[in-house]
Amino acid sequence: MPAAILDGKKLSADIISGLRAEVVAREQDGLAVPTLAVILVGGDPASQVYVRNKRNACEQIGIRSVMHTLPDTVTQAELLALIGELNHNIDVHGILVQLPLPAHIDPESVIERIEPHKDVDGFHPCNIGRLAVRMPDLRSCTPYGVMRLLALAHDDLKGMHAVVVGASNHVGRPMGLELLLAGCTVTTCHRFTRDLASQVAAADIVVVAVGKPGLVKGEWIKPGATVIDVGINRLPDGRLCGDVDYEVARERAAWITPVPGGVGPMTVAILMENTLRAARKGDRVVTEMLLQQAGV
Ligand code: NAP
């Protein structure tokens, strides 16, 4: 029997409607409108699509998104200065810098400049560090979105063998930390891993985040495993596909994510959740300021 589909589109829509209700309740309580500053540098077409999807989600929920579009000639100092201003602006709760950035800008310095409590992508070393020491706060969107999809398939992940293929700072590494936090035994594979096939074949859960179509062969999948394909690749004919050989893998797996419609929409939903979480942090900052002004 083919694998059951882990439907990220539906789960994401459910999360978004729950967040909409929370924003309405905030309005009724007279709290600030959650506000996300979105910084887009240059005219990369894929980045423009991602930013548009994120802003559409904001609109559906009632989150205000404020766009900062910068030319690809912007200097690193100018970009860091803008982030500094947004850090100090109490009306801005979350800051998102769409990646990739032009080659002359160091993405890690940019991410580090964002105040951790406004880091709605969950990329700041403080937020990744919190996850590593089992004190998660703003969690990296894609890995946490994967965890929410896994919860549809499994009540408890404790003791399962999870194999993560890909070890980037923004996906593979925090993914391994999330799975470890959930009690899995985790193996992380990267470009120097020997015999990727046998690592994948041992997995109860496989999460693939590399960006190479067909890297993980369907016949490697252990029968009954759960397969999460994070990869997004554009084929020469214009279609999108993941990193896993989907047609064969779905005949062996118990659960599988499609591409598109699996992990992608979840990344956006968690970004929205993080923005609401950051807005709640902002509420506390404002309350403390008012108490201080009142001399309490
Ligand atoms: P990345 O920064 O390029 O990282 C790719 C990772 O794959 C690296 O850790 C690299 O290893 C590893 N790798 C390369 N070749 C490998 C091989 N043959 N075997 C095993 N590992 C190998 O990419 P990323 O940002 O993590 O994104 C990965 C994919 O996910 C891309 O297709 C991206 O578009 C997609 N993505 C999707 C979403 C979503 O919402 N669905 C979100 C983010 C990313 P080294 O560390 O050794 O170089």
Side-chain angles (χ1 to χ4, degrees):
M1 206 171 58
I5 301 294
L6 288 169
D7 186 346
K9 220 168 152 183
K10 175 166 189 319
L11 179 56
S12 153
D14 292 347
I15 291 172
I16 283 176
S17 72
L19 295 175
R20 170 74 201 137
E22 188 180 333
V23 170
V24 170
R26 284 180 65 89
E27 254 168 51
Q28 285 162 355
D29 293 343
L31 294 168
V33 178
T35 299
L36 175 67
V38 179
I39 303 178
L40 176 64
V41 182
D44 175 50
S47 293
Q48 284 173 342
V49 172
Y50 291 138
V51 162
R52 195 167 57 233
N53 291 344
K54 291 168 187 175
R55 297 193 77 201
N56 284 344
C58 285
E59 208 171 301
Q60 280 177 53
I61 295 167
I63 292 173
R64 180 165 51 216
S65 67
V66 182
M67 194 67 208
H68 298 265
T69 308
L70 306 174
D72 55 13
T73 50
V74 73
T75 65
Q76 178 158 318
E78 287 166 335
L79 178 54
L80 294 179
L82 171 61
I83 294 170
E85 275 170 36
L86 296 169
N87 281 339
H88 286 110
N89 184 342
I90 58 164
D91 296 328
V92 170
H93 303 109
I95 302 171
L96 168 104
V97 180
Q98 184 63 46
L99 300 177
L101 291 166
H104 66 278
I105 297 178
D106 168 32
E108 301 311 334
S109 309
V110 169
I111 289 163
E112 258 196 292
R113 179 57 63 96
I114 299 171
E115 277 294 336
H117 65 271
K118 296 192 179 191
D119 166 41
V120 286
D121 261 330
F123 290 164
H124 193 287
C126 283
N127 284 319
I128 303 278
R130 291 190 70 96
L131 182 61
V133 296
R134 294 179 278 193
M135 295 167 66
D137 189 0
L138 289 169
R139 300 160 91 140
S140 305
C141 300
T142 302
Y144 191 48
V146 169
M147 296 311 287
R148 300 286 281 275
L149 280 172
L150 286 173
L152 297 178
H154 305 281
D155 291 336
D156 191 353
L157 302 183
K158 284 191 198 71
M160 295 181 87
H161 183 195
V163 171
V164 181
V165 186
S168 67
N169 284 356
H170 302 151
V171 187
R173 282 167 200 260
M175 188 72 249
L177 293 172
E178 285 286 357
L179 290 160
L180 186 60
L181 185 65
C184 293
T185 301
V186 182
T187 302
T188 299
C189 301
H190 42 74
R191 72 178 73 239
F192 304 116
T193 297
R194 294 183 196 139
D195 196 2
L196 184 61
S198 63
Q199 297 291 346
V200 170
D204 302 312
I205 297 170
V206 191
V207 182
V208 189
V210 173
K212 291 186 179 166
L215 176 76
V216 169
K217 308 284 174 249
E219 52 278 13
W220 296 355
I221 303 298
K222 179 159 102 178
T226 297
V227 177
I228 307 282
D229 195 347
V230 180
I232 303 178
N233 307 291
R234 177 85 52 196
L235 294 171
D237 64 8
R239 281 179 306 135
L240 287 182
C241 74
D243 294 342
V244 178
D245 173 9
Y246 180 81
E247 293 307 329
V248 180
R250 71 191 279 252
E251 295 303 322
R252 296 173 66 85
W255 295 90
I256 195 164
T257 55
V259 178
V263 178
M266 291 304 298
T267 299
V268 179
I270 304 300
L271 175 73
M272 298 296 111
E273 270 193 1
N274 279 350
T275 305
L276 262 285
R277 192 179 174 90
R280 280 182 239 121
K281 289 174 188 292
D283 298 340
R284 289 196 287 276
V285 171
V286 170
T287 307
E288 275 163 30
M289 271 173 46
L290 292 173
L291 288 174
Q292 245 177 19
Q293 278 167 13
V296 181

